Amino acid sequence: MKIAMVGSGYVGLVSGACFADFGHDVVCIDKDESKIERLRSGVMPIYEPGLAELVAANVKAGRLSFSTDLASSIEDAAAIFIAVGTPSRRGDGHADLTYVYAVAQELAENIRTPTVVVTKSTVPVGTGDEVERIIRESGTDVKFAVVSNPEFLREGAAIGDFKRPDRIVIGAEEEWARGVMREVYRPLFLNRAPILFTSRRSSELIKYAANAFLATKITFINEMADLCEKVGGDVQDVARGIGLDNRIGSKFLHAGPGYGGSCFPKDTLALLKTAEDYNSPVRLVEAVVKVNDSRKRAMGRKVIEALGGDARGKRVALLGLTFKPNTDDMRDAPSIAIVQTLLDAGAEVVAYDPEGMDAAVEILPEVTMAASTYAAVAGADAVALVTEWDAFRALDFARVKSLMNAPVLVDLRNVYDPTEARAAGFAYSSIGRV
Ligand code: UDX
């Protein structure tokens, strides 16, 4: 079937390419002409492992194309996905739905054949009702339905997450619309990915509840890590010990510098706003947001402590800047608050990241970007491992130590074993371990 994907960013481009790989005919639409031109010439606007190959194969097979013209691209589309950005609104944390509603209005003016309009962007509860109102009040006499179909893609693993989902969530009121969505996801349905059909509002809330719960789980183990440092426990053993309980599960229990990215920070805030709007506060998530925000600067102070409490004039090398490995995304990365804390304390900061430096240089102009891991650590009074890229998992300790001014290693992702690091001559500190 023909599918139109409005928005060719992290969600729209991955989803569109995967739908094409299922055998559907997909047009990815974007207002950004340069982005569409780059996509047409095979240049990806985002770093996502495997995406360039997936796009190229489906463009070659004639199943995937790109356009800036929404009106012509949606002709005869059985489903039109809205996958545009819903960033946090400046200042108050509500999701900014400007782009979603603009697409809804444009669809209202241009749909000519029966279609299902699908909100794939993460949108607050009730947005589907508003999209439906916008289209209905435009006076169109074309049969349409508005459906919620949130994505659960992790950056750096998005294609795998799309093709092997734990579940597909469809929020649809009309049976015919559910039928269209079954066809859209037939390839996954056949390989037994469970499809949960529910109401539109439940589907919208499932997305926020999932991300808020995952953010809560991470924040919980981060606070257990702080307690471990005080009582002399090992947070990795604590995580393993509770994770073996299948009611808890072992995933998302890696203690670190706090969660970042384009989703958890934005979605937890948006959930708080929805709860506030409906006068049903989610106090647990309020605490998670507060704890996570303060944690990132606390990590900067942890590096200062490793320097003996005074960072003035000291050179600190950061290994990793992106909010997680296998992405170039710097949005709400813990490194941003860590750098600010170190600069405020008078330190000089050098950094290396395999993919994130182009984005980081815009956000962190005072940081010296190094050409490699070992160039970054040269002359450093301390090295902090901030993002657990594979490139940082087998450092040549002797070489690092010989290049550094002082052998201080702060491992914010517990990549290394404390005994081994200390045996190699480092003053080693990490998260939730002594
Ligand atoms: C997340 C959700 O996982 C995904 O389902 C949703 O669709 C989008 O948001 P993403 O933000 O890409 O995906 O990254 P994720 O792998 O979830 O990590 C988010 C943050 O949590 C990162 O900063 C990561 O470093 C941190 N994290 C994750 C931890 O600190 N500990 C963990 O155990 C897992």
Side-chain angles (χ1 to χ4, degrees):
M1 64 181 19
K2 180 178 176 183
I3 289 173
M5 186 67 63
V6 184
S8 301
Y10 275 101
V11 174
L13 183 55
V14 170
S15 303
C18 288
F19 278 135
D21 219 41
F22 288 165
H24 294 309
D25 289 322
V26 179
V27 183
C28 283
I29 305 155
D30 204 291
K31 289 226 175 298
D32 180 340
E33 292 217 16
S34 66
K35 180 190 284 189
I36 293 297
E37 280 317 308
R38 286 201 308 274
L39 281 165
R40 283 177 175 157
S41 55
V43 176
M44 296 299 108
I46 57 171
Y47 174 83
E48 182 64 45
L51 183 61
E53 297 79 359
L54 187 71
V55 166
N58 284 281
V59 166
K60 187 166 176 238
R63 291 192 297 262
L64 179 61
S65 60
F66 302 100
S67 171
T68 55
D69 177 3
L70 181 140
S72 60
S73 302
I74 65 171
E75 272 172 26
D76 304 324
I80 305 169
F81 283 77
I82 300 178
V84 292
T86 56
S88 279
R89 201 162 62 194
R90 287 265 168 266
D92 69 4
H94 274 92
D96 180 349
L97 297 170
T98 309
Y99 308 113
V100 169
Y101 292 152
V103 171
Q105 185 54 47
E106 203 173 350
L107 293 179
E109 293 158 7
N110 290 287
I111 53 174
R112 297 283 177 273
T113 52
T115 190
V116 174
V117 175
V118 188
T119 54
K120 181 155 278 292
S121 302
T122 302
V123 291
V125 176
T127 302
D129 301 351
E130 182 60 17
V131 167
E132 182 173 333
R133 185 191 64 75
I134 290 170
I135 299 175
R136 197 164 304 293
E137 287 184 4
S138 72
T140 179
D141 53 6
V142 173
K143 181 184 178 184
F144 75 94
V146 176
V147 160
S148 162
N149 173 220
E151 50 78 22
F152 302 98
L153 310 180
R154 290 167 298 157
E155 288 182 34
I159 294 171
D161 285 351
F162 192 100
K163 292 194 163 187
R164 289 177 295 283
D166 289 340
R167 78 300 201 187
I168 297 158
V169 173
I170 308 282
E173 317 303 338
E174 300 88 346
E175 188 43 47
W176 73 271
R178 294 186 174 195
V180 169
M181 295 308 286
R182 274 192 200 92
E183 275 311 300
V184 165
Y185 280 103
R186 171 173 293 280
L188 284 177
F189 195 51
L190 294 178
N191 74 19
R192 311 207 48 72
I195 295 190
L196 167 66
F197 285 103
T198 182
S199 72
R200 203 161 52 198
R201 284 178 167 244
S202 298
S203 172
E204 289 164 339
L205 186 51
I206 285 168
K207 171 66 185 177
Y208 283 101
N211 273 3
F213 188 83
L214 291 168
T216 301
K217 197 172 179 186
I218 292 165
T219 306
F220 176 80
I221 201 63
N222 283 340
E223 290 208 305
M224 287 301 107
D226 290 348
L227 187 55
C228 279
E229 289 177 15
K230 293 292 191 320
V231 304
D234 180 321
V235 72
Q236 291 185 308
D237 290 348
V238 170
R240 181 162 164 68
I242 65 174
L244 285 168
D245 181 327
N246 63 27
R247 295 169 302 172
I248 296 172
S250 59
K251 291 186 177 172
F252 277 60
L253 283 175
H254 300 297
Y259 60 77
S262 61
C263 295
F264 287 174
K266 162 178 79 71
D267 294 350
T268 44
L269 271 185
L271 182 61
L272 294 188
K273 294 303 169 190
T274 297
E276 204 175 287
D277 291 349
Y278 286 84
N279 195 24
S280 178
V282 283
R283 284 176 291 275
L284 185 58
V285 181
E286 285 169 15
V288 164
V289 170
K290 285 195 187 88
V291 168
N292 191 66
D293 282 351
S294 61
R295 182 173 190 80
K296 297 176 183 177
R297 290 192 81 94
M299 294 297 109
R301 292 195 295 274
K302 191 181 190 74
V303 178
I304 294 167
E305 279 159 36
L307 287 164
D310 182 2
R312 266 195 308 276
K314 298 284 177 63
R315 184 186 176 96
V316 178
L318 302 186
L319 296 185
L321 291 171
T322 52
F323 81 96
K324 61 183 267 191
N326 302 318
T327 181
D328 58 356
D329 200 339
M330 282 294 297
R331 285 175 285 186
D332 274 305
S335 62
I336 298 169
I338 291 168
V339 164
Q340 204 49 59
T341 305
L342 292 171
L343 293 175
D344 292 350
E348 175 202 350
V349 181
V350 179
Y352 172 70
D353 186 284
E355 291 295 341
M357 292 193 291
D358 289 349
V361 76
E362 308 288 324
I363 306 166
L364 302 169
E366 295 170 79
V367 171
T368 303
M369 300 298 170
S372 72
T373 302
Y374 295 101
V377 304
D381 298 295
V383 169
L385 200 162
V386 181
T387 312
E388 67 281 26
W389 284 92
D390 287 348
F392 306 140
R393 287 184 177 277
L395 293 175
D396 175 342
F397 274 159
R399 185 177 172 197
V400 170
K401 187 164 177 282
S402 70
L403 286 165
M404 291 179 71
N405 193 35
V408 175
L409 176 56
V410 183
D411 184 355
L412 298 179
R413 296 288 185 166
N414 289 345
V415 167
Y416 289 100
D417 174 89
T419 308
E420 285 173 19
R422 289 167 185 145
F426 286 91
Y428 176 84
S429 54
S430 61
I431 301 284
R433 305 182 300 177
V434 294

